[in-house]
Amino acid sequence: MEKSIFNPELLSGKVAFITGGSNGGMLQDIAKIFLLHSAKGVVLVARKKEKLQKVVDQLTPFAAKGSECIGLTADVRDTESVHEAVSQTLEKFGTIDILVNGAAGNFLCPADMLSLKGFKTVLDIDSGGTFNASKEVFSQAFKQQRSGVIINITANLHYGGTPMMIHAGSAKAAVDATTKHLAVEWGPYGVRVMGLCPGFIDGTEGMARLSDMDSIGDKKKAAQSREKGVKTDDAMTDLVPLGRLGSGEDIAKGALYLASDASSYLTGSILMVDGGATLTCPNFVMHSPKFVEMYAAPRKAKI
Ligand code: COA
């Protein structure tokens, strides 16, 4: 990251608890910007210990003096393991000030091919996980502290009924509702709750998975999408009013703003960090000519 426009001590003394991030991507960038801005502790919480440790090792050199990054294993779907991770964080750092609900799952699958288990799995991770972590952090820390910030990473999928993502769109719609409900319930405790909605972010697992039309409905192929990478074409970039894809750093700067007192009068709202893409391309798979061809096929077949 180039020289930050934010005060390097913006998060001095603060502790952040971030769910997800073992795949790197924007959650790693959020952790990094928090460390660079003097957060006392950044705790990444994910299921797979080895993958998580690699990310923690990559982040450690960015920790400002007196800052520390650690990883804790937990499954956000499992209340007990989330409870334990929150307790361990409080034992180590004494406080939690910022919660980023980032753990999520997504893949391309038409609704009529999706099993109920597949639908529920994503709801459990995204919405259930957001509920579990928010409840635990509030009950064990924010409620007594009378302060705290929750940042729910959301998506724009449900704004336009994005095809092949009924699972993630429904899950993120619930996350957005959760943002509003908790902002109202926990405002009197000094807790601010906000959504952060990324657009097309370059280099993320999400972009790789959701741009890979060969992976539709196929768990194995979806798992390989990341290695294949994303072939960004001009047509896609041209749809974004600001004329470029986003970077993890763009998202991280939004998260830093929300986490800090710079956003002291924000709660219950969703910060769009998408270069305006939601205005021009709310149905993001439509940028793929291959998808548009598939989409039109049933109607054409009738003729
Ligand atoms: N297409 C269709 N169904 C799929 C699928 C895909 N690509 N991936 C998973 N499912 C279904 C499974 O088939 C299973 O249902 P079934 O038993 O009825 O067939 C159900 O979802 C649960 O799958 P499972 O692999 O056991 O769940 P999991 O908890 O291990 O992981 C995800 C599920 C969604 C989290 C997995 O895809 C994943 O690990 N993703 C990486 C994180 C990610 O998606 N990041 C991007 C966020 S934008």
Side-chain angles (χ1 to χ4, degrees), residues 36-107:
L36 286 168
H37 290 81
S38 306
K40 179 168 83 169
V42 172
V43 182
L44 287 177
V45 182
R47 278 185 300 168
K48 294 175 185 150
K49 199 173 177 180
E50 275 174 28
K51 273 173 81 181
L52 182 61
Q53 192 53 46
K54 270 190 194 154
V55 175
V56 169
D57 291 343
Q58 284 168 13
L59 283 167
T60 298
F62 296 100
K65 200 164 174 254
S67 302
E68 190 180 356
C69 182
I70 65 165
L72 293 175
T73 43
D75 186 334
V76 291
R77 292 171 281 192
D78 174 35
T79 310
E80 270 308 302
S81 75
V82 176
H83 178 89
E84 194 49 37
V86 172
S87 301
Q88 284 177 30
T89 303
L90 289 169
E91 264 167 45
K92 179 161 176 67
F93 292 109
T95 177
I96 298 175
D97 307 282
I98 304 154
L99 165 64
V100 179
N101 282 308
N106 200 3
F107 46 80

Side-chain angles (χ1 to χ4, degrees), residues 23 47-48 77 104-109 114-115 117-119 121-122 125 205-206 209-210 215-219 222:
N23 288 328
R47 278 185 300 168
K48 294 175 185 150
R77 292 171 281 192
N106 200 3
F107 46 80
L108 294 174
C109 188
L114 182 68
S115 68
K117 188 175 161 202
F119 181 81
T121 297
V122 176
I125 299 170
E205 165 125 21
R209 279 177 166 248
L210 307 179
S215 75
I216 294 171
D218 189 318
K219 193 172 143 178

Side-chain angles (χ1 to χ4, degrees), residues 101 130-131 134-135 138 142 148-152 174-195 263-270:
N101 282 308
T130 296
F131 171 75
S134 302
K135 185 179 166 187
F138 178 77
F142 291 177
V149 172
I150 299 178
I151 302 170
N152 292 328
V175 167
D176 288 352
T178 298
T179 297
K180 291 184 188 171
H181 287 283
L182 296 186
V184 172
E185 284 199 30
W186 295 346
Y189 293 88
V191 175
R192 299 188 296 114
V193 188
M194 286 137 310
S263 62
S264 54
Y265 202 51
L266 259 71
T267 196
S269 53
I270 298 170

